[in-house]
Amino acid sequence: MKNIFPPPKPSKPWNSRRKPQLIRSHFIFLSITLFTLLLLCFIVYSHIPKSLLSFSSKTLNSRFPPCQNAKVLTTDQKFLFYAPHSGFSNQLQEFKNAILMAGILNRTLIVPPVLDHHAIALGSCPKFRVLSPNEIRIAVWDHLIDLLQSGRYVSIADIVDISSVVSASLIQVIDFRDFVSLWCGVDIDLACSNDLNTQRALFDSLKQCGSTISVLNGRGDECLYAVDEDCRTTVWTYQNGDGDGKLDSFQPDEQLKKKKKISFVRRRQDVYKALGPGSKAELATVLAFGSLFTAPYRGSELYIDITVVPKDQRIQSLIKSIEFISFVPEILSVGKRYAVETIKAPFLCAQLRLLDGQFKNHWKTTFLGLKQKLDSLRHMGSQPVHIFVMTDLPEGNWTGNYLGDLAKDTDYYKLYFLREENELVTQTAQKLVNAGQGLRYGSIPRTVDGVTRRKKICSQRFSDVLLYIEETVCSCASLGFVGTAGSTIAESIELMRKFDVCSKEV
């Protein structure tokens, strides 16, 4: 059968005529692209500070080992890092625990800032539901950088007075800002720069550097050792006789094990034997803990049980010195002056925590304790009874509850309270900025390679100043103190009253 479709004529390849033209087009396109990339690189290079470029070339490698590059972090200078969390009272307790650990292990304590209230939450040790040490280190490092970036960085040494502990040579300390400059190899003063690109490059570098402080639990080398023991597995002790390695009295009960499918076993460990001389941790330049929070529970401490060490008088002196650490003079003087010049009479302090966490469910119990105390005072003395009220419940919400009743009953009660916008509070915040107590402490040379280290204080916004002043006022309440049961703030005030802070000269 004859093919009705004639065979197609042979054709030339589709690109035979246009090949030279395409080659020229590709060459022009690649040339333009390469030129653009080179121009962008030049622009970026010219706008990045030399200190950051030096940092990148040295430390942004696969393992990011900054302690091998820093000029001052030598093998004979060893540091202790930890991850504070929760509210200020918890952070202060952790700080005292960190001082103790640094003293026992003979390490320089890295002094952290005050974290935003509950920016980082640990979880529940009694329920064995907490962030792992690695998780909390990562979260805290990121928050510390955020505080620097937003101008809200306030060292805890700006708030509490550690001069006696440092001057007695019981421990050495270094401000976190100084440490991070050396550890990460950057100029932390660039945080004060008005150049947004400079700031962005600095904080990006710091965040990458944070990966070293948050390495996988229990891993480390001569640069850093990360502690993976937490309150679910360990109770740290020191010189506890033959108790090292034994089971702690508090263990998860069988119901909790089945419900949460956990298999934790809590043992008592001597921190000096585990992390001191002769251990793998002792070789590391930086020893990084997670949380250092502890509290008594069911006859045991949740994480740290070190209270009496008669064999080590230096540590025994350190324990005694940190039992109470007062606020800095700038705070104490203001609180005392308010009690004398504004209240001008014997008064009762009522610390009423009503909105936070578990406390919002216990209004009746909280108010009952206050009512009983006031009924007693009314029958004992003259009216009105002066009351300084310290509460997280806004004044506009007092109507319809016991606080509102007290405010209306002016024949028998006269109430005093402070607010954030009060001039006394704002003036105190400015005094704390001017004092800059936190940057006065340190254990590093003032010069590195002949270059004087600068210390700038960027614009700071002190938060929680109201809390510190209120606690001081409450320490001066001569008619007594009524606090919310279970509140760490109430415990702090009780401690201030025990040490009679109000009667001491500032």
Side-chain angles (χ1 to χ4, degrees), residues 17-31:
R17 290 185 178 179
R18 308 174 84 180
K19 189 170 183 179
Q21 182 180 352
L22 283 172
I23 290 174
R24 285 194 300 272
S25 299
H26 288 163
F27 177 77
I28 293 171
F29 175 77
L30 288 173
S31 300

Side-chain angles (χ1 to χ4, degrees), residues 196-435:
L196 295 180
N197 290 330
T198 297
Q199 283 194 351
R200 190 179 301 113
L202 170 67
F203 294 122
D204 286 347
S205 298
L206 290 177
K207 287 179 180 179
Q208 292 182 62
C209 179
S211 64
T212 61
I213 211 79
S214 309
V215 297
L216 293 176
N217 296 342
R219 300 287 182 86
D221 50 26
E222 291 186 5
C223 180
L224 179 138
Y225 184 92
V227 179
D228 68 343
E229 289 86 355
D230 61 20
C231 60
R232 296 171 294 184
T233 62
T234 304
V235 179
W236 290 119
T237 64
Y238 178 56
Q239 293 187 353
N240 194 29
D242 60 354
D244 188 33
K246 290 188 176 180
L247 293 176
D248 185 62
S249 60
F250 172 59
Q251 302 289 340
D253 57 40
E254 294 302 320
Q255 183 179 1
L256 185 63
K257 286 181 179 179
K258 291 178 181 178
K259 182 178 179 181
K260 301 295 183 181
K261 296 180 181 179
I262 62 176
S263 57
F264 294 109
V265 175
R266 280 166 49 93
R267 294 189 180 277
R268 301 176 71 79
Q269 280 199 79
D270 188 303
V271 66
Y272 189 76
K273 293 179 181 178
L275 304 174
S279 68
K280 182 179 178 182
E282 195 268 339
L283 298 174
T285 300
V286 177
L287 176 68
F289 280 94
S291 165
L292 284 177
F293 177 77
T294 191
Y297 187 78
R298 293 191 183 180
S300 179
E301 282 287 338
L302 287 175
Y303 191 46
I304 299 171
D305 190 5
I306 304 172
T307 54
V308 179
V309 284
K311 296 179 182 179
D312 191 332
Q313 289 303 310
R314 184 179 71 88
I315 299 303
Q316 190 61 46
S317 297
L318 184 58
I319 291 172
K320 185 177 180 180
S321 69
I322 64 174
E323 181 183 359
F324 173 67
I325 299 179
S326 74
F327 291 122
V328 293
E330 289 80 5
I331 293 171
L332 293 179
S333 60
V334 169
K336 293 177 184 181
R337 192 168 71 247
Y338 181 87
V340 173
E341 298 178 2
T342 301
I343 301 180
K344 301 179 183 178
F347 67 98
L348 172 79
C349 173
Q351 182 262 334
L352 308 172
R353 195 169 176 179
L354 301 170
L355 299 180
D356 186 28
Q358 61 171 322
F359 304 106
K360 62 179 177 289
N361 301 318
H362 301 287
W363 283 33
K364 185 176 180 180
T365 303
T366 301
F367 285 142
L368 179 61
L370 176 58
K371 185 178 185 305
Q372 291 173 341
K373 180 67 175 178
L374 289 176
D375 288 345
S376 174
L377 289 173
R378 279 185 57 183
H379 290 93
M380 290 173 58
S382 60
Q383 281 80 34
V385 177
H386 297 261
I387 310 168
F388 178 74
V389 179
M390 177 181 179
T391 183
D392 54 356
L393 184 68
E395 188 182 3
N397 295 342
W398 288 10
T399 304
N401 59 58
Y402 187 55
L403 267 178
D405 296 341
L406 289 176
K408 288 187 295 184
D409 195 352
T410 55
D411 290 336
Y412 289 102
Y413 306 108
K414 182 171 178 58
L415 272 55
Y416 302 83
F417 53 89
L418 285 165
R419 290 289 178 259
E420 288 284 357
E421 60 274 12
N422 188 284
E423 187 177 0
L424 192 70
V425 178
T426 57
Q427 288 178 350
T428 304
Q430 187 57 51
K431 287 180 181 178
L432 292 172
V433 172
N434 296 338

Side-chain angles (χ1 to χ4, degrees), residues 56-313:
S56 299
S57 65
K58 288 182 178 180
T59 59
L60 290 181
N61 54 39
S62 59
R63 298 196 61 219
F64 206 105
C67 67
Q68 297 176 17
N69 298 296
K71 297 182 177 67
V72 186
L73 298 182
T74 58
T75 54
D76 61 347
Q77 190 176 24
K78 299 184 184 299
F79 300 84
L80 186 146
F81 174 87
Y82 73 102
H85 55 80
S86 305
F88 175 77
S89 298
N90 285 32
Q91 291 176 47
L92 179 55
Q93 189 217 68
E94 279 193 278
F95 182 57
K96 292 193 286 187
N97 289 337
I99 290 174
L100 178 59
M101 291 299 205
I104 291 173
L105 298 172
N106 196 27
R107 286 180 172 271
T108 298
L109 175 62
I110 302 167
V111 179
V114 178
L115 275 64
D116 291 340
H117 186 70
H118 291 320
I120 310 293
L122 173 65
S124 172
C125 283
K127 295 180 181 179
F128 290 75
R129 187 180 66 240
V130 297
L131 290 180
S132 71
N134 191 47
E135 289 172 323
I136 199 165
R137 279 191 293 266
I138 293 171
V140 166
W141 183 277
D142 287 345
H143 186 64
L144 300 188
I145 304 308
D146 179 60
L147 292 175
L148 280 169
Q149 193 167 11
S150 59
R152 293 179 295 116
Y153 190 103
V154 176
S155 170
I156 195 167
D158 287 325
I159 306 302
V160 297
D161 187 357
I162 63 171
S163 58
S164 61
V165 180
V166 176
S167 63
S169 300
L170 294 172
I171 63 161
Q172 288 187 316
V173 299
I174 183 172
D175 187 86
F176 175 79
R177 289 162 289 189
D178 280 335
F179 171 78
V180 81
S181 295
L182 302 171
W183 175 260
C184 300
V186 297
D187 182 1
I188 201 66
D189 286 347
L190 293 175
C192 303
S193 171
N194 294 323
D195 188 323
L196 295 180
N197 290 330
T198 297
Q199 283 194 351
R200 190 179 301 113
L202 170 67
F203 294 122
D204 286 347
S205 298
L206 290 177
K207 287 179 180 179
Q208 292 182 62
C209 179
S211 64
T212 61
I213 211 79
S214 309
V215 297
L216 293 176
N217 296 342
R219 300 287 182 86
D221 50 26
E222 291 186 5
C223 180
L224 179 138
Y225 184 92
V227 179
D228 68 343
E229 289 86 355
D230 61 20
C231 60
R232 296 171 294 184
T233 62
T234 304
V235 179
W236 290 119
T237 64
Y238 178 56
Q239 293 187 353
N240 194 29
D242 60 354
D244 188 33
K246 290 188 176 180
L247 293 176
D248 185 62
S249 60
F250 172 59
Q251 302 289 340
D253 57 40
E254 294 302 320
Q255 183 179 1
L256 185 63
K257 286 181 179 179
K258 291 178 181 178
K259 182 178 179 181
K260 301 295 183 181
K261 296 180 181 179
I262 62 176
S263 57
F264 294 109
V265 175
R266 280 166 49 93
R267 294 189 180 277
R268 301 176 71 79
Q269 280 199 79
D270 188 303
V271 66
Y272 189 76
K273 293 179 181 178
L275 304 174
S279 68
K280 182 179 178 182
E282 195 268 339
L283 298 174
T285 300
V286 177
L287 176 68
F289 280 94
S291 165
L292 284 177
F293 177 77
T294 191
Y297 187 78
R298 293 191 183 180
S300 179
E301 282 287 338
L302 287 175
Y303 191 46
I304 299 171
D305 190 5
I306 304 172
T307 54
V308 179
V309 284
K311 296 179 182 179
D312 191 332
Q313 289 303 310

Side-chain angles (χ1 to χ4, degrees), residues 8-19:
K9 296 181 179 179
S11 60
K12 295 181 180 180
W14 68 274
N15 60 348
S16 60
R17 290 185 178 179
R18 308 174 84 180
K19 189 170 183 179

